[in-house]
Amino acid sequence: MTSVPQSCGLSLKRLARGAGVAVVFMLLAAPVLCADEPERLTVIRAGKIITGTGEEIHDGVIVLNGAKIQNVGKGLEYPLNAKVIDARNRVAMPGLINPSSRFGLSGYHRAEVHGNWTVADEYFPAPDAYDELLDAGYTTLALVPGGGGIPGRAIVVHTAGAQEQRVLQAPAYLRVTPDKRVLRGALERAQQEIEKVEKAKQEFEKKQEQERRAAPPASQPASQPGSQPTSVPATQPAFQPPPIDPAFQVLVDLIQKKPDVFALLELGSASDYVHFSEVLKKFDVAHQFLARNGQQSDFTFIAEQIGAKKPRVVLQPVINRAPNSAERIHVVRQFAQAGCEVSLMPLADDAEEHRQMLGRIALLVREGWTRAEALKAVTLHPARLLGLDSRLGSIEKDKDADLIFLDADPLDPLARVREVMIAGEIVRRVEVPQ
Amino acid sequence: MLRPATSWRWCAALLCLALALPVFAQSPAESQPSDTQPASQPASQPVSQPATQPVSQPTSAATSSLPTTTTATTSTTTVATTQAAPEKERFLAVINGRVHTVTGPVLERATVLSRNGIITAIGEHVVLPPECVVVDATGLEVYPGLVAAVAGGLHGVNQPRDTTNVYALNMAIALAGGITTALAGNDVAKLTYGTTQDLILKANAYLNINYATRSPLERAQLRADLERVRTYLRDVQRFEREKAVNKDAKPPDKEWLKEKYENYRKLLAREVISVATANSTHELADLADLAQTYGFDLVVRGAVEGWTVAPALGRAGVRAVITPRDERAPDDRFNRPNGSSIENARILHTHGVTVAVVPPTAAITLWGLAGRDLLHLNMEAAFAVRGGLSNDAAVRTITIDAARVLGVDDRIGSLEIGKDADIVVCDGDLLHYMTQVRYTIVNGRVAYDKAKETLFAHIRPQGKPEVPQFDDYWPRRLQWVGE
């Protein structure tokens, strides 16, 4: 892959002169001279573009305008002054997204409810902290708070780029570990806080009403003019709600159905889903699930009933064994077919498992999952889970130019990530041993 | 926070609910006509006979002597109220089985119908409602779900309501053994496979008086404490009497009535059941004396030498949890009968002690010797038969009597109208060594189906004695299921 703009431009000019070859090329990508186009675009000509929406374009063009994708397709026109990157020996696809990780963060022992804590408090990465994940093709991580109970809220970050531009979303979702008692207790407590505020408001309004009734005979006798200076204030005092315990504020928001926050409920086993469902029947809060099917395989029991609710579910890329049996079962496919929108997280939170991700997805496809669904599960679906699908997850118009370039199809066992682009900048080139 | 439109919707919903409620509240009364009253009464209320009953027959016998027409009326009434109910009703029927009601007679080719987890009809001509889950028990035996009076590892350790793994292998194995209810910590919990609904039957089942670990002086202290509380309760009674005639009467001081004394007050008021572990003759005799002197409900665990003091235990109304296979060598230095006896269960039962049986290891074990864990609860009861107990009484030791030991015999332990639909369907006599459980039903839901679970599906799949031949060994193929 050559990204030297001068030489590319020159070679194009030379091609434009040699008409015979140029005709073939013009079909694929046509540079047109637009004199009134002041900005300079970047054009990537890729051997194959996996857009992440299920579409695959051979010999396509991605037009970048700064950090954004301006257009993607086949045989697009672009101005002659565009910087052209020749990636015809590469497969371009959206950068991978890990929806739940603690990579690079230290261990934590927390319990109970800490809704006011976010990973932003502990996120001070070294510039190269996530280089290994870049090598694996990951451009975005949701970093979750550590510990048990309800340890706090996640943040979404880029794995490279300028330090101040790395954080994409803070705070993001609320992490809930598999502990029914803590979740139920926290929501009950949040409900109490809501009732406390409402009660205070009612009392305030009652008091206001009483004062208003007392006010009409406010024609004070002139004998005591200065004794009651504040009896009839010029403006009504605003209601001051009693303070809510900050650790429970996010749970109050959840109960009150505020947008932009949801709980990611982690499931250690199928039974946890049954227990959480009991709590969710009482408190209808926005939630999605994360099921660690790499550790416990009995999730097959709940695939149907969880799928009926059409949630977004984070799973791990493994073929499971049926509980207490030797039978191999495809739990990931079961969840997808039942109606869940499946995202995948690495089997373990280390660099190796991040590197293995595409290979494991290939296994899932080999065992009968669709290729398009499998690729979406590490790109578009986690972006939707995080609520960032307007920016991330696919190669589409107006999305961020977070791309990875592989030297073969991503599900080819020999494929390697060779270049990683975040926000239109190549941030990593992977050295291949000769 | 509610917008006007929303609040109107709420009001409308409340109105609908208010309209629906009387109909819903009426349905139990309708579904139990007055002549079925004794049958629907739980066993713990033996004397609440309606005045129309000429002879006070024992409640247990009334269950299955229901006229079948009444039973049919019951089910049709139930169907009629279905529309008014807010949630979809669950019906399950076990049909054409040989129904062992345990507290009543055995019914040939009878049906047990449950609605929302409660038995609503038992009889030969029960009309099934539409959308009823039907378990065909033709040629099979139907028993109430078995009760493990001591158990471990079937539910979550701490707060079973929140920590039980409802898909655990242990629970599936216990269900395969026919167990539907077990003691979990100090709670009585159902084995609700795949759901947490109605998991806890009774919280805080026992007050443990820690008898086994007390030194002799501490045992004397227990007796003194009980004496003090009994004196107080008598003073309260006296005060209640005097209050009517003497306005200056003062209630007895109760400042001290806290903590352990409050527990003992509950015990003597029969609000809780106490439990103690005791095996030797002198311990059992001491406990029997305590229970009889102070009049409280006592469950003794162990009771290896119970047969030596059976009359005293029976007089005191003590309930016992025993293991018929327990062995303890007699000590010849004592000039009295001692040591274990295979006849323990029979002798205790003869003297009126409510006996529950548990296996030597009251848990599911996947190691060591098979046949001594909770999977073989029915085999342990069979050992009581070996010691002379009648077959019927032995079935009681793992059903109704075990439920009585746990203080939940008003809800489970027998097949009676109004009790929970915890049912075991097996392919032979419950106590026979070849018998296997085909279906286990908990709260009106099929919690175990032998043909669908990989545990025992391959063993005598049709309940026939011949062993099926397999082309392969592993993984097990289940193709013959349903053939």
Side-chain angles (χ1 to χ4, degrees), chain A residues 63-140:
Chain A
V63 183
L64 307 183
N65 185 0
K68 294 279 178 189
I69 297 166
Q70 181 151 330
N71 212 344
V72 60
K74 203 164 173 144
L76 296 177
E77 293 185 346
Y78 56 86
L80 200 57
N81 66 349
K83 168 184 160 186
V84 177
I85 297 176
D86 184 6
R88 278 174 291 173
N89 56 348
R90 295 278 189 268
V91 176
M93 69 175 284
L96 307 186
I97 302 171
N98 183 346
S100 175
S101 175
R102 271 192 70 74
F103 194 89
L105 303 176
S106 50
Y108 241 109
H109 294 285
R110 274 179 211 161
E112 303 308 317
V113 184
H114 302 284
N116 50 339
W117 296 18
T118 78
V119 181
D121 304 333
E122 51 174 323
Y123 177 70
F124 305 103
D128 58 352
Y130 294 102
D131 280 2
E132 284 183 296
L133 302 197
L134 285 170
D135 289 358
Y138 277 89
T139 55
T140 309

Side-chain angles (χ1 to χ4, degrees), chain A residues 6 34 44 57 65 81 84 87 112 119 129 131 144 160 181 200 211 213 226 247 299 330 335 343 381 406 419:
Chain A
Q6 289 84 359
C34 297
I44 302 165
I57 304 166
N65 185 0
N81 66 349
V84 177
E112 303 308 317
V119 181
D131 280 2
V144 297
R181 255 179 297 181
E211 280 181 9
R213 277 195 201 138
F299 289 103
H330 202 317
F335 271 63
S343 306
H381 289 176
L406 301 100
E419 287 88 15

Side-chain angles (χ1 to χ4, degrees), chain A residues 311-390:
Chain A
R312 300 193 168 114
V313 183
V314 182
L315 291 166
Q316 291 177 317
V318 282
I319 298 290
N320 290 114
R321 291 206 185 281
N324 322 315
S325 128
E327 191 191 343
R328 296 172 83 233
I329 47 169
H330 202 317
V331 166
V332 176
R333 190 183 64 185
Q334 283 177 0
F335 271 63
Q337 286 183 345
C340 302
E341 189 180 283
V342 173
S343 306
L344 292 173
M345 62 184 281
L347 200 51
D349 211 7
D350 56 13
E352 183 54 30
E353 278 303 330
H354 283 81
R355 274 194 289 271
Q356 295 281 349
M357 191 60 171
L358 290 172
R360 291 195 184 277
I361 287 177
L363 281 178
L364 296 185
V365 175
R366 190 183 78 186
E367 302 294 327
W369 202 21
T370 59
R371 172 189 161 88
E373 278 284 302
L375 288 172
K376 276 186 198 174
V378 280
T379 54
L380 189 57
H381 289 176
R384 280 199 195 138
L385 176 83
L386 299 171
L388 290 168
D389 52 325
S390 61

